[in-house]
């Protein structure tokens, strides 16, 4: 996830980068953003309510 949307990007900028990818694979963008937040923080609470 961090290879596509590196840590230096804001959530808004990361959403712009990830949106085409998630549209192509047929997943919800919110799941990708949650996975990115988890990768950044290591805190599993970032995935709350998300099914990966």
């Amino acid at each position: 996830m961090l290879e596509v949307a590196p840590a230096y990007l804001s959530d808004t900028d990361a959403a712009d980068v990830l949106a085409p990818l998630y549209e192509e694979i047929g997943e919800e963008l919110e799941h990708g953003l949650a996975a990115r937040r988890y990768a950044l923080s290591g805190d599993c609470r970032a995935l709350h309510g998300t099914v990966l």
Side-chain angles (χ1 to χ4, degrees):
M1 189 58 56
L2 294 177
E3 288 181 20
V4 177
Y8 62 82
L9 293 178
S10 68
D11 280 349
T12 304
D13 291 338
D16 292 342
V17 171
L18 293 173
L21 172 66
Y22 272 77
E23 185 175 319
E24 184 177 320
I25 63 174
E27 288 290 329
E28 291 185 34
L29 177 59
E30 288 302 316
H31 293 171
L33 293 173
R36 181 176 179 270
R37 285 190 295 271
Y38 174 68
L40 288 169
S41 68
D43 188 347
C44 63
R45 292 177 294 182
L47 300 174
H48 180 72
T50 303
V51 178
L52 297 178

